[in-house]
Amino acid sequence: MYSKKVMDHFMNPRNVGEMENPDAIGEVGNPTCGDLMKMYLRIENNIIKDIKFQTFGCGAAIATSSMITELAMGKTLDEALELTRDDVADNLNGLPPVKMHCSNLSADALRAAIEDYKKKHH
Amino acid sequence: MYSKKVMDHFMNPRNVGEMENPDAIGEVGNPTCGDLMKMYLRIENNIIKDIKFQTFGCGAAIATSSMITELAMGKTLDEALELTRDDVADNLNGLPPVKMHCSNLSADALRAAIEDYKKKHH
Amino acid sequence: MTKDRIYMDHSGTTPIDPLVLEAMMPFLTKNYANPSSIYAEGREVRTAIDGARQQVASALNAKSNNIIFTSGGTESDNLGILGSVFSLKEKNGHIITTTIEHPAVTRTVEFLGDHGYDTTFLPVNKFGQVELDVLADAIRDDTRLISIVYGNNEVGTVQDMKEIIKLAHERDVLVHTDAVQAVAKVPIDVKDIGVDLLSLSGHKIYGPKGIGALYVRDGLKITPLQHGGGHENKLRSGTENVPGVIGLGKAMEMGETGLTTEMPRVKAMRDRLLKGLMEAQEETYLNGHPEKRLPHNAHVRFSYIEGEALLLNLDMLGIAAATGSACSSKSLKASHVLLAIGLTPEQAHGSLRLTLGKNNTDEEIDNVLEAVPAIVKKLRAMSPLGHGGQ
Amino acid sequence: MTKDRIYMDHSGTTPIDPLVLEAMMPFLTKNYANPSSIYAEGREVRTAIDGARQQVASALNAKSNNIIFTSGGTESDNLGILGSVFSLKEKNGHIITTTIEHPAVTRTVEFLGDHGYDTTFLPVNKFGQVELDVLADAIRDDTRLISIVYGNNEVGTVQDMKEIIKLAHERDVLVHTDAVQAVAKVPIDVKDIGVDLLSLSGHKIYGPKGIGALYVRDGLKITPLQHGGGHENKLRSGTENVPGVIGLGKAMEMGETGLTTEMPRVKAMRDRLLKGLMEAQEETYLNGHPEKRLPHNAHVRFSYIEGEALLLNLDMLGIAAATGSACSSKSLKASHVLLAIGLTPEQAHGSLRLTLGKNNTDEEIDNVLEAVPAIVKKLRAMSPLGHGGQ
Ligand SMILES: Cc1ncc(COP(=O)(O)O)c(C=O)c1O
Ligand SMILES: Cc1ncc(COP(=O)(O)O)c(C=O)c1O
């Protein structure tokens, strides 16, 4: 069902947990599937210096959360904003079709966090 | 399906074949099942001295034909007239229900033969 | 399943008992004749089918001629419901079922709903029980059939079938029960409870997949759904699945015996498992009725986590289990049974179903009691909700 | 079946090929998981089912997604006919079938006839062939479906399916074919013949009983008949009969190979058998078409005798065979197929069907060629008709 890469990120999620005093927080949820994601950012000079996530959700939700933190880490905010759901899925060697729309929310969560940051530092 | 007794009479039918110059012949057929029975009698002093049958039909038809010849042999005509389908079935240790009405014609064939005799010797 | 794996999904399916398979083997090899044939080989198979039918009947305290073999629980449910309703003189009316049925019943009743029948899906209480007064209120003059699951396949609640049937019969309404999960778990005497139609399935009781049976009480007419050569007393056509039939017969016989020999031990393990799971962490709840439940069913809910993630972690540890989470289902909808007993979708997501079998051991219970709390802790730590998130 | 018995009723059913059983065994033992489960064991079974589906598809030159697993040929016929007709926009119309169908088709079309559809049962010629001009005349503007048996189960006649389908499609009519007897006997390429729906069954092709499949061409919608959990792409619910599915896949694969490796030898034996039977006594006739017939089917008619008596005698000699005689059927009606090809009931009674299989040997043919004439002679001597009676 899930690729090896998904299972790896799911079983050993990168950058999981809460962040103390983050510079920004993004939170999104998908009512259909019941997934909920929270993304925490530490930002210096418009660069993502640290990123953490918390996720309530299925295997795909956890793996995509983990994957986006790897993809976003060290990127500028503008670069990070360009990350898409497809980037996440591709980097995980694919997701089951039914999970593509349901649990692939991590790009949205990252965007929400960046927008939160931009709002605060406008 | 068939009792041992039925199979015995079917595989080794008693008194089977044509009779030369019989005193009476009875023939009956059941259109549903397609069975056809022919019963030949040799009669002396109102006693069945010899009896033979020919049957086109299934296992039950052949076995019941054979059985009735055993039952009728040596009987007076009046005794023979009292033989019923049930007598035949009972003496064969039963018949499958579906065959009871269909292939259990031998008592009818015997009766037809006796009536043929009575008509001729009226 | 390799020896070191732990299988706790016996409501999903069961292994075939070696004795059942042994009974089937001749019919998978040398006794292959078609039971409709008149030669010796065919008659021998026919006799074996008659024997299996008697085994199924005896286990339910029924008679051979009450038993129709089908291709499984799903077909039995379809045939029991549609077959009985279609054979009634009145060509419409009202059908009652519950909100906690297996899809084999739900979809079948919905089918009637789409074809001119009124349907009522009765609510259940928070334990998953049909309440008699609610049922009594729902029955109308034109109610034709009530179909209620005997033992629920998710939360395990066992209904008071005898009372339900008594009530229905006082109002002249037929009762079908889906006993796919209840058979061989709790004693069932069709005469005693007076049920009209009862469905069961082979693969839930250590028998083969692809075989089931429908009990139809004496004198009740049903209309066949599958047309053909008139097998199964003209009520279900199709060459008999002979090895399946033989396997089901043996499984029913063994299941009946197992009620007293195996089930108490299974229930004791289940009780210890439930207790251990409830005590291992906070905010852990039992789903279903505390006593009136299938003896092998442990169904618990952990707040703040999601079931598929729990299952996958268990799977990695070699434990096979089930959940009520939408995320593990094709439809992505949360379990309708869990919603029916009053859980929110979020709550339904965090449920775990462990259904034990006669091959489970105390050691396996220990292993699960070690594994589950660790995983719950890990997932809660990742969760933005509750403990984890605050 | 003990070694010294001779089995010549392969159109009745076949033994499971040892290689088929070998493929099934893991799924009757350790691989028992429910393919809908998400844990490793379940996913492994799902993969195996996918493989079997591909095997079935490949043997027909179809794609996996064209294949729906069912509980047998009877269900496939029901689902193919009712499922396709019920999914049409128009809720009535005209259905064509023939007078030589298996009851699984006949009864299903009759069911439609009882529910508002017009039905035509096409006559066949004396060889059992549907004649194209007769079919063309029967097609109406509101004809929805034509269902024609590919290879007849009694007399063995094989229809010109490609021409039939071409004609039907020119008139925009769907075609279902019951290929239960034809599959693995004659090459079938669903793309080449262009058929819309095709039924097959496991136990006629050295696979298990209780499993079948329906081919549905791309883009054709069917309405499910069995309601439930939405298995088989939502078209046929019910927990998969996993060992059956695996067995059917393997049997289809082997059947495809056997068309070139086994079937020529079987056909040669059949030809010798037919020739021998015809030459052994007078007033012996071939039923069905001399060339366009299933390669394993020998169907002959002996005047003046009755088939059940013939079968029972053969049975006593250890030979398993079939007949068209009413007396061996539950209904006591003479075979409708034999009547359809123009025989009188009396003639139909005296028919013998010997259907060969890959395990039959030349020696067995010799034995049968010795046994049958002796029995025919014995029964004719008892008969009041013909030779015997005159
Ligand atoms: C309560 C209940 N009813 C019906 C079924 C369907 O039975 P089967 O899997 O044999 O089609 C199941 C199992 O899936 C079940 O648990
Ligand atoms: C031509 C034909 N169609 C349908 C069937 C029914 O298939 P099954 O025996 O798998 O129900 C049979 C066999 O009995 C058959 O010979």
Side-chain angles (χ1 to χ4, degrees):
Chain A
M1 180 175 62
Y2 288 133
S3 70
K4 278 217 172 108
K5 196 96 177 266
V6 172
M7 284 307 290
D8 176 38
H9 274 268
F10 165 63
M11 290 302 290
N12 313 294
R14 319 335 183 211
N15 308 305
V16 67
E18 225 179 327
M19 187 185 283
E20 306 247 313
N21 305 318
D23 295 318
I25 298 183
E27 193 170 338
V28 297
N30 180 325
T32 315
C33 188
D35 290 327
L36 202 71
M37 277 178 203
K38 213 162 170 178
M39 207 59 70
Y40 304 86
L41 298 181
R42 172 110 49 240
I43 291 166
E44 285 173 27
N45 300 328
N46 272 336
I47 287 171
I48 298 177
K49 280 290 174 183
D50 197 10
I51 175 166
K52 278 192 173 290
F53 79 91
Q54 286 186 307
T55 291
F56 164 85
C58 66
I62 290 171
T64 55
S65 309
S66 166
M67 178 46 80
I68 200 112
T69 64
E70 279 208 332
L71 293 176
M73 187 82 80
K75 285 216 164 52
T76 65
L77 293 187
D78 286 349
E79 284 166 355
L81 272 176
E82 276 172 23
L83 290 169
T84 63
R85 290 179 168 216
D86 282 348
D87 292 332
V88 176
D90 290 350
N91 275 282
L92 285 168
N93 299 334
L95 281 174
V98 71
K99 302 280 185 180
M100 278 300 280
H101 295 287
C102 159
S103 307
N104 194 352
L105 299 174
S106 60
D108 305 4
L110 176 62
R111 186 164 305 123
I114 295 174
E115 269 154 22
D116 177 50
Y117 179 81
K118 290 198 166 163
K119 212 155 38 189
K120 285 188 197 151
H121 297 79
H122 197 56
Chain B
M1 184 175 61
Y2 288 134
S3 70
K4 279 218 175 106
K5 196 95 176 268
V6 173
M7 284 307 290
D8 176 39
H9 273 268
F10 165 62
M11 290 303 290
N12 312 295
R14 324 322 188 220
N15 308 306
V16 66
E18 226 177 322
M19 188 184 283
E20 308 246 313
N21 306 317
D23 295 317
I25 298 183
E27 193 171 337
V28 297
N30 180 325
T32 317
C33 190
D35 290 329
L36 202 71
M37 275 178 206
K38 215 161 168 176
M39 206 61 68
Y40 304 86
L41 298 182
R42 171 112 47 241
I43 291 167
E44 288 174 25
N45 300 328
N46 272 335
I47 288 172
I48 298 178
K49 281 287 175 187
D50 196 10
I51 175 166
K52 278 190 173 291
F53 78 91
Q54 286 185 308
T55 290
F56 163 84
C58 66
I62 291 171
T64 55
S65 309
S66 167
M67 177 47 80
I68 199 110
T69 63
E70 280 210 330
L71 293 177
M73 188 81 81
K75 284 212 164 55
T76 65
L77 293 185
D78 286 347
E79 283 165 355
L81 271 176
E82 275 172 25
L83 289 170
T84 64
R85 290 181 169 213
D86 284 345
D87 292 331
V88 176
D90 290 350
N91 275 283
L92 286 167
N93 298 334
L95 280 175
V98 72
K99 302 281 186 181
M100 277 301 278
H101 296 287
C102 160
S103 307
N104 195 351
L105 298 175
S106 60
D108 305 6
L110 176 62
R111 185 163 306 124
I114 295 174
E115 271 154 21
D116 178 51
Y117 180 81
K118 292 198 165 164
K119 213 155 35 191
K120 285 187 198 151
H121 296 78
H122 199 55
Chain C
M1 208 137 300
T2 46
K3 200 75 204 107
D4 43 333
R5 301 264 313 172
I6 297 176
Y7 186 75
M8 291 206 177
D9 193 20
H10 290 85
S11 279
T13 194
T14 55
I16 300 182
D17 188 281
L19 291 178
V20 170
L21 185 57
E22 193 183 304
M24 293 168 65
M25 280 314 292
F27 300 90
L28 288 164
T29 53
K30 63 182 178 39
N31 291 340
Y32 59 82
N34 192 317
S36 300
S37 323
I38 71 168
Y39 40 80
E41 292 87 345
R43 300 196 305 268
E44 195 182 330
V45 173
R46 173 63 61 210
T47 304
I49 290 182
D50 292 344
R53 202 184 302 279
Q54 185 56 55
Q55 284 173 312
V56 174
S58 297
L60 300 169
N61 190 27
K63 287 175 300 179
S64 264
N65 62 352
N66 300 130
I67 304 301
I68 302 170
F69 289 114
T70 68
S71 67
T74 297
E75 187 183 338
S76 296
D77 284 340
N78 277 257
L79 183 58
I81 295 171
L82 300 181
S84 62
V85 168
F86 289 162
S87 81
L88 297 174
K89 269 192 313 290
E90 305 86 355
K91 282 302 158 239
N92 49 45
H94 179 226
I95 313 291
I96 297 177
T97 187
T98 79
T99 45
I100 60 162
E101 299 298 313
H102 188 274
V105 169
T106 311
R107 295 288 102 78
T108 302
V109 172
E110 284 171 358
F111 174 84
L112 284 174
D114 292 342
H115 288 80
Y117 289 82
D118 287 345
T119 58
T120 296
F121 291 82
L122 281 189
V124 293
N125 67 19
K126 66 175 176 173
F127 298 118
Q129 294 173 294
V130 173
E131 295 189 337
L132 285 178
D133 51 349
V134 176
L135 175 60
D137 286 349
I139 298 178
R140 312 190 324 202
D141 284 347
D142 66 343
T143 302
R144 310 275 178 241
L145 177 81
I146 299 172
S147 180
I148 294 183
V149 59
Y150 202 122
N152 179 266
N153 49 307
E154 298 197 30
V155 298
T157 303
V158 175
Q159 305 297 333
D160 297 327
M161 281 313 297
K162 193 170 172 175
E163 284 71 47
I164 289 173
I165 293 162
K166 189 161 166 278
L167 173 62
H169 284 179
E170 279 165 7
R171 308 280 295 270
D172 281 331
V173 181
L174 293 175
V175 179
H176 166 259
T177 186
D178 175 344
V180 166
Q181 295 288 346
V183 159
K185 306 290 183 325
V186 298
I188 297 181
D189 179 328
V190 289
K191 290 277 166 50
D192 178 51
I193 60 175
V195 73
D196 300 293
L197 303 135
L198 178 145
S199 301
L200 58 91
S201 175
H203 74 104
K204 309 289 189 185
I205 57 167
Y206 305 94
K209 295 179 174 62
I211 189 79
L214 178 68
Y215 161 85
V216 184
R217 75 147 159 78
D218 282 343
L220 182 62
K221 284 224 180 65
I222 65 165
T223 301
L225 302 180
Q226 189 162 301
H227 315 285
H231 309 78
E232 295 300 300
N233 202 14
K234 302 217 166 84
L235 297 174
R236 196 275 182 187
S237 291
T239 298
E240 294 86 344
N241 174 356
V242 180
V245 162
I246 302 301
L248 181 61
K250 184 70 185 172
M252 285 294 285
E253 186 185 271
M254 293 183 67
E256 163 79 357
T257 317
L259 284 174
T260 46
T261 57
E262 297 284 356
M263 221 24 90
R265 193 183 66 85
V266 169
K267 181 172 183 304
M269 284 194 293
R270 192 279 312 270
D271 289 341
R272 186 163 76 86
L273 178 63
L274 261 187
K275 189 155 174 286
L277 289 175
M278 306 286 286
E279 286 172 355
Q281 61 273 306
E282 291 175 3
E283 302 194 65
T284 304
Y285 309 93
L286 177 72
N287 288 330
H289 196 282
E291 283 99 38
K292 294 184 179 178
R293 65 186 302 124
L294 296 171
H296 71 312
N297 174 300
H299 204 292
V300 290
R301 169 167 80 74
F302 309 98
S303 301
Y304 316 129
I305 67 169
E306 189 279 330
E308 194 211 62
L310 179 54
L311 287 204
L312 289 173
N313 272 285
L314 283 169
D315 187 26
M316 300 300 282
L317 293 178
I319 297 166
T323 175
S325 172
C327 294
S328 75
S329 77
K330 274 179 271 177
S331 72
L332 298 179
K333 287 202 202 110
S335 152
H336 66 287
V337 174
L338 298 179
L339 300 179
I341 62 170
L343 302 190
T344 64
E346 288 68 28
Q347 289 172 330
H349 276 289
S351 291
L352 175 68
R353 183 185 77 177
L354 295 163
T355 42
L356 307 193
K358 58 186 176 183
N359 299 327
N360 287 131
T361 62
D362 278 314
E363 204 195 319
E364 290 177 330
I365 302 291
D366 293 338
N367 288 339
V368 172
L369 282 176
E370 207 181 296
V372 173
I375 297 169
V376 171
K377 199 169 167 201
K378 171 180 157 182
L379 290 176
R380 281 187 176 173
M382 283 192 212
S383 174
L385 301 170
H387 294 292
Q390 309 318 322
Chain D
M1 211 139 298
T2 46
K3 200 71 207 114
D4 44 332
R5 301 265 311 172
I6 297 177
Y7 185 75
M8 291 206 179
D9 193 20
H10 290 84
S11 280
T13 193
T14 55
I16 300 182
D17 188 282
L19 292 176
V20 170
L21 185 57
E22 192 183 305
M24 293 168 66
M25 279 315 291
F27 300 90
L28 289 164
T29 53
K30 64 183 177 38
N31 291 339
Y32 59 83
N34 192 318
S36 300
S37 322
I38 71 166
Y39 40 80
E41 292 86 346
R43 299 195 306 268
E44 194 181 328
V45 173
R46 173 62 62 208
T47 305
I49 289 182
D50 292 345
R53 201 184 302 279
Q54 185 57 56
Q55 284 172 312
V56 174
S58 297
L60 299 170
N61 191 27
K63 286 175 301 178
S64 266
N65 62 351
N66 300 130
I67 305 301
I68 302 170
F69 289 115
T70 68
S71 67
T74 297
E75 186 183 338
S76 296
D77 283 340
N78 277 258
L79 183 58
I81 295 170
L82 301 181
S84 63
V85 168
F86 289 162
S87 80
L88 297 173
K89 268 191 314 290
E90 304 86 355
K91 283 299 156 239
N92 49 46
H94 178 228
I95 313 290
I96 297 177
T97 188
T98 78
T99 44
I100 59 161
E101 300 299 313
H102 188 273
V105 168
T106 311
R107 296 287 102 76
T108 302
V109 172
E110 284 173 356
F111 174 83
L112 285 173
D114 291 342
H115 288 81
Y117 290 82
D118 286 347
T119 58
T120 296
F121 290 81
L122 282 189
V124 293
N125 67 20
K126 65 175 178 173
F127 299 117
Q129 294 173 295
V130 172
E131 295 190 338
L132 284 178
D133 52 349
V134 175
L135 175 60
D137 285 348
I139 298 178
R140 312 189 324 202
D141 283 347
D142 67 342
T143 302
R144 310 276 178 239
L145 177 81
I146 298 172
S147 182
I148 295 184
V149 59
Y150 203 123
N152 179 266
N153 49 307
E154 297 195 33
V155 298
T157 303
V158 175
Q159 304 297 332
D160 296 327
M161 281 313 297
K162 193 169 174 176
E163 284 70 47
I164 289 174
I165 294 162
K166 188 160 167 281
L167 172 62
H169 284 179
E170 278 166 7
R171 307 280 295 270
D172 282 329
V173 181
L174 292 175
V175 179
H176 166 260
T177 186
D178 175 345
V180 165
Q181 295 288 348
V183 159
K185 305 292 181 327
V186 297
I188 297 181
D189 178 328
V190 289
K191 291 278 165 50
D192 178 51
I193 59 174
V195 74
D196 300 293
L197 302 135
L198 179 145
S199 301
L200 58 91
S201 175
H203 74 104
K204 308 288 190 185
I205 57 168
Y206 305 94
K209 294 181 174 61
I211 189 78
L214 177 69
Y215 160 85
V216 184
R217 76 146 159 78
D218 283 343
L220 181 63
K221 284 225 180 62
I222 65 165
T223 300
L225 302 180
Q226 189 162 302
H227 314 287
H231 309 78
E232 294 300 302
N233 201 16
K234 302 216 166 84
L235 296 175
R236 197 275 181 186
S237 292
T239 298
E240 294 86 345
N241 174 356
V242 181
V245 163
I246 302 301
L248 181 60
K250 184 70 184 172
M252 285 294 285
E253 187 185 88
M254 293 182 67
E256 164 78 358
T257 318
L259 283 175
T260 46
T261 57
E262 297 284 356
M263 220 26 88
R265 194 183 64 86
V266 169
K267 181 172 182 306
M269 284 193 294
R270 193 277 314 268
D271 289 342
R272 186 163 74 89
L273 178 63
L274 262 187
K275 189 154 173 287
L277 289 176
M278 307 284 287
E279 286 172 356
Q281 61 275 305
E282 289 174 7
E283 302 196 65
T284 303
Y285 309 93
L286 176 71
N287 289 328
H289 196 282
E291 284 99 38
K292 295 185 179 177
R293 65 186 301 124
L294 296 171
H296 72 313
N297 173 300
H299 205 292
V300 290
R301 169 166 81 74
F302 309 98
S303 301
Y304 316 128
I305 67 170
E306 190 281 329
E308 195 212 61
L310 178 54
L311 287 204
L312 289 173
N313 273 287
L314 284 170
D315 186 27
M316 299 301 281
L317 295 178
I319 299 166
T323 176
S325 172
C327 294
S328 76
S329 78
K330 274 179 270 178
S331 72
L332 298 181
K333 287 200 200 109
S335 153
H336 65 288
V337 175
L338 298 180
L339 301 180
I341 62 171
L343 301 190
T344 64
E346 287 68 28
Q347 290 173 328
H349 276 289
S351 292
L352 173 69
R353 182 185 77 177
L354 295 163
T355 43
L356 307 193
K358 59 186 177 185
N359 300 327
N360 286 129
T361 62
D362 277 315
E363 202 196 322
E364 290 177 331
I365 302 289
D366 293 338
N367 288 340
V368 173
L369 282 177
E370 208 182 297
V372 174
I375 297 169
V376 170
K377 198 169 167 201
K378 170 180 158 184
L379 291 176
R380 281 186 175 172
M382 282 192 215
S383 173
L385 302 170
H387 293 294
Q390 311 317 322

